[in-house]
Amino acid sequence: MLNGKQKDIELDPARVPRHVAIIMDGNGRWAKKRMLPRIAGHKQGMDNVRTITRAASDLGVKVLTLYAFSTENWKRPEGEVSYLMSLPVTFFNKFVPELIEQNVKVMIMGDTSMLPASTQKACADAVADTANNTGMVLNFALNYGGRDELVRAAQKLVQRANDGDLQAADVQASDIDAALMTAPLGELADPDLLIRTSGEERISNFLLWQIAYSELVFTDRLWPDFSPDDLKAAFADFAGRDRRFGGIKK
Ligand code: FPP
């Protein structure tokens, strides 16, 4: 668990995680501490997406995957859900020019067909407007759930079997990789580092298959307060880890 103020951290560029996934938790508590409505926390959280996107891109991250709305978040009060649904519209309207300037490519992962039409359009436009960018991929998980993703992958594999394209005994891990929503990320599909803010130490149905060998960093910082220095501190922690992927130290 990372805590406290981190300053003047030197990072070895060779040990910066290539794919970073973040569970952006604590917006509600951030607002409550200030006697503000929960949506004020989400607004601040959205502004912090801009800050952390820029910081991650500047530090050399290749893919930043952000858990923006889970398949379980529909259980929240209607007003909060509709506010969360409006955030991609606001965010992309405001920041796509900046993302283009930073050469960031937007990707969306999740069942977007259930999102309001305006949210779907904002997402599709952002993806199209940044499609030719070659820098960091900013991958939003929207109406995403790890189990939902695995169910859909199983359906695809069964379909392939029904079509005579795949035999049960021949199913490989790579077939599952190819059927997941992260498939477009290719060799970068699995996060090197997963960060969760706000002190909770759970995975909450995020990237269940892909985090098999991810390093996990939990921090007390609430998402709207999570700063570029906190990101660097998480990277420094990551850089000190000994990743063996089930093998032994070389
Ligand atoms: C969890 O905090 C946060 C969410 C469910 C929403 C996360 C969304 C953002 C940070 C903004 C997304 C921005 C874009 C551009 C799509 P919580 O509300 O559960 O906090 P709490 O646990 O303190 O109540």
Side-chain angles (χ1 to χ4, degrees):
M1 174 78 75
L2 291 178
N3 285 304
K5 286 249 170 287
Q6 288 91 19
K7 282 260 170 280
D8 304 326
I9 296 164
E10 282 296 320
L11 289 174
D12 172 359
R15 298 195 67 116
V16 166
R18 297 197 305 162
H19 182 173
V20 178
I22 308 184
I23 303 176
M24 307 180 289
D25 197 7
N27 294 346
R29 276 163 284 169
W30 183 94
K32 194 172 175 198
K33 268 172 59 179
R34 289 162 180 78
M35 318 269 266
L36 294 169
R38 292 178 55 81
I39 60 168
H42 294 314
K43 160 76 173 65
Q44 197 68 25
M46 179 198 76
D47 287 338
N48 205 35
V49 167
R50 174 200 191 190
T51 305
I52 295 302
T53 296
R54 182 183 287 273
S57 168
D58 288 349
L59 288 168
V61 170
K62 304 280 181 228
V63 180
L64 178 65
T65 298
L66 300 177
Y67 207 5
F69 192 89
S70 79
T71 45
E72 285 71 40
N73 285 152
W74 297 105
K75 295 178 198 156
R76 294 184 177 217
E78 203 185 316
E80 183 171 344
V81 168
S82 63
Y83 188 76
L84 286 169
M85 287 296 143
S86 75
L87 286 180
V89 182
T90 312
F91 181 84
F92 291 132
N93 277 342
K94 260 174 132 168
F95 301 130
V96 160
E98 235 178 80
L99 297 177
I100 292 173
E101 215 172 276
Q102 292 162 44
N103 198 21
V104 167
K105 180 181 171 126
V106 174
M107 191 177 129
I108 311 282
M109 182 174 84
D111 180 8
T112 51
S113 72
M114 281 172 71
L115 308 181
S118 54
T119 311
Q120 290 189 42
K121 179 170 179 351
C123 290
D125 288 350
V127 168
D129 292 346
T130 62
N132 294 325
N133 292 350
T134 54
M136 187 180 80
V137 173
L138 174 59
N139 180 27
F140 284 101
L142 266 178
N143 194 24
Y144 170 88
R147 287 183 171 181
D148 176 63
E149 181 186 35
L150 287 166
V151 167
R152 288 165 192 269
Q155 289 169 342
K156 286 186 193 168
L157 296 187
V158 171
Q159 189 60 56
R160 281 184 60 195
N162 288 349
D163 294 346
D165 177 42
L166 187 67
Q167 295 295 310
D170 294 335
V171 176
Q172 308 283 322
S174 58
D175 293 305
I176 297 177
D177 284 332
L180 295 175
M181 294 169 180
T182 44
L185 296 168
E187 55 146 16
L188 293 173
D190 297 347
D192 300 296
L193 172 64
L194 171 70
I195 300 170
R196 183 171 188 146
T197 59
S198 92
E200 310 290 347
E201 299 188 358
R202 285 189 293 280
I203 300 303
S204 299
N205 202 15
F206 196 35
L207 300 169
L208 298 178
W209 169 271
Q210 296 91 335
I211 60 165
Y213 286 103
S214 302
E215 297 297 328
L216 309 181
V217 167
F218 299 101
T219 164
D220 276 342
R221 203 77 81 210
L222 303 176
W223 171 252
D225 292 329
F226 185 78
S227 68
D229 276 341
D230 295 325
L231 185 71
K232 282 173 85 175
F235 288 7
D237 187 337
F238 171 84
R241 307 268 180 106
D242 177 24
R243 302 185 79 198
R244 295 190 297 276
F245 300 93
I248 55 170
K249 199 168 180 162
K250 288 209 186 96

